[in-house]
Amino acid sequence: MRAQGVGAVGRGLGLLADTWTLLILQRAFLGVTRYAGWRETLNISDATLSARLRSLVEADLLEPRPYREGGRERRGYALTERGGDCWKLLLATWYWEQQWVPREVPLPDIVHRECGAAAGVQLACDHCGERVAFRDTEVWRKPGAPALQLLSRVHPRRTRGRLPSDPLSLLPGAMEIIGDRWGATVLGAGLAGVRSFTAFGDELGISPEVLSDRLRRFIELGVMERGFGGTARDGRYRITEKGLASFPIHACLIDWSLRWQVADGAEVDLEILHAGCGERLRVRLVCDRCDTPFTRGSVSPGRPR
Ligand SMILES: [Zn+2]
Ligand SMILES: [Zn+2]
């Protein structure tokens, strides 16, 4: 979708902040290349799968790779360079879910091939190499731009229906955070310091119904809280520790958007700066066991615990 007037980060959100899209990409990283493979492992309808694959090809995240089987040509797809570059977003998502979302069947460990350990994922600045937490950053928005009104011309799209139930692909917490565009935008605005219901509405141009729904779900999920001032009348919202821990997910999404959507001619609408070195935060993900950066091929799922 090339919505007019939407900047790079808005476009990136429009593209990636969608549960099925993220699950299709995740499966591609795990080696799925055939239409039938997604269909079976994701328990997704043909209509939804075809529509998402078409969008992913249009956006140059996947490319068609037809193959022959039983004398017939069948549909297959491979990750492109920019699709493959989503690995950091998916790794950050996996780690946050594993750390913060209680579940009956635990997510598999993230095994770092270089050191062989079940690893934790730390966010670092690719320019200076330092570890980065949310408090070490500043958000820069394009001057004169209508604040965070990134998505006003992109229609919200909710994922309904049954999601897959195997332990690796179901990431219910993370999908609340980045699996839909409005949710991702509301939490991003919360991280950027928006506190009141009115301010969210003004900044995002979001309908009160959609805003109430997303705020309610974020409070249920424990990433936001309300009335923390201790008085019943204090209706302000803020991000909890669990919400702050999801910062690497947002940083990866923004980093990816700026790299690839600016290359396509989109304007820079928002940046995260690393206060330590003053540079734009280009994401590096580091193994907390051996201190070396992860690379795209350096992680695999451990055996389910
Ligand atoms: Zn830095
Ligand atoms: Zn390691």
Side-chain angles (χ1 to χ4, degrees):
M1 190 173 315
R2 294 284 151 81
Q4 284 281 316
V6 176
V9 174
R11 281 195 200 179
L13 276 168
L15 206 54
L16 292 177
D18 171 76
T19 297
W20 284 123
T21 297
L22 291 167
L23 291 175
I24 288 167
L25 288 172
Q26 182 208 45
R27 290 284 134 172
F29 280 102
L30 293 170
V32 172
T33 58
R34 299 176 170 198
Y35 183 91
W38 278 291
R39 182 81 177 78
E40 282 156 25
T41 60
L42 290 178
N43 191 21
I44 185 174
S45 76
D46 281 311
T48 307
L49 179 57
S50 294
R52 294 301 195 279
L53 288 170
R54 204 177 316 119
S55 306
L56 284 164
V57 169
E58 263 171 34
D60 192 26
L61 275 79
L62 291 178
E63 61 191 11
R65 260 322 145 71
Y67 64 98
R68 296 195 74 79
E69 191 180 68
R72 280 181 54 195
E73 187 170 283
R74 294 179 191 271
R75 292 158 75 183
Y77 300 86
L79 287 161
T80 61
E81 192 189 349
R82 68 175 64 192
D85 197 38
C86 293
W87 69 268
K88 286 182 233 178
L89 172 66
L90 291 166
L91 183 59
T93 302
W94 179 1
Y95 184 57
W96 181 84
E97 183 90 16
Q98 192 194 52
Q99 292 296 298
W100 291 93
V101 183
R103 45 193 295 144
E104 275 174 33
V105 184
L107 274 181
D109 286 325
I110 296 169
V111 175
H112 187 210
R113 293 208 175 113
E114 266 71 359
C115 67
V121 177
Q122 302 287 318
L123 177 66
C125 168
D126 200 44
H127 180 74
C128 70
E130 270 180 43
R131 304 288 175 95
V132 178
F134 175 67
R135 63 175 176 278
D136 307 320
T137 64
E138 287 162 22
V139 174
W140 175 89
R141 297 182 203 161
K142 189 177 142 211
L148 287 159
Q149 207 160 349
L150 304 171
L151 293 172
S152 54
R153 299 182 204 195
V154 179
H155 296 297
R157 178 166 69 177
R158 288 290 300 143
T159 300
R160 296 266 178 237
R162 281 187 308 163
L163 287 170
S165 57
D166 68 282
L168 194 60
S169 54
L170 187 63
L171 303 170
M175 290 310 162
E176 289 282 328
I177 288 181
I178 51 161
D180 106 279
R181 294 156 186 175
W182 282 119
T185 310
V186 168
L187 195 60
L191 281 166
V194 176
R195 290 286 169 265
S196 74
F197 192 89
T198 315
F200 277 110
D202 292 347
E203 294 254 0
L204 303 177
I206 184 172
S207 81
E209 293 76 23
V210 176
L211 178 58
S212 303
D213 174 68
R214 299 305 189 273
L215 289 169
R216 181 182 52 74
R217 289 186 353 201
F218 284 145
I219 289 169
E220 278 170 17
L221 185 64
V223 297
M224 287 179 113
E225 60 189 354
R226 190 177 184 205
F228 53 88
T231 69
R233 281 184 306 172
D234 185 349
R236 289 178 301 156
Y237 295 85
R238 78 169 168 192
I239 308 286
T240 63
E241 193 192 348
K242 181 176 179 179
L244 286 176
S246 74
F247 174 63
I249 298 175
H250 302 270
C252 287
L253 186 56
I254 290 168
D255 190 32
W256 184 91
S257 302
L258 291 174
R259 178 169 312 154
W260 294 105
Q261 300 302 309
V262 170
D264 280 354
E267 267 193 279
V268 176
D269 44 356
L270 186 149
E271 284 186 326
I272 300 174
L273 303 175
H274 177 214
C277 70
E279 292 291 314
R280 169 174 47 112
L281 179 62
R282 288 180 175 80
V283 167
R284 181 190 290 182
L285 297 178
V286 177
C287 170
D288 71 351
R289 302 298 291 275
C290 71
D291 249 4
T292 57
F294 288 105
T295 56
R296 179 177 158 186
S298 72
V299 287
S300 56
R303 270 204 302 258
R305 280 171 288 161

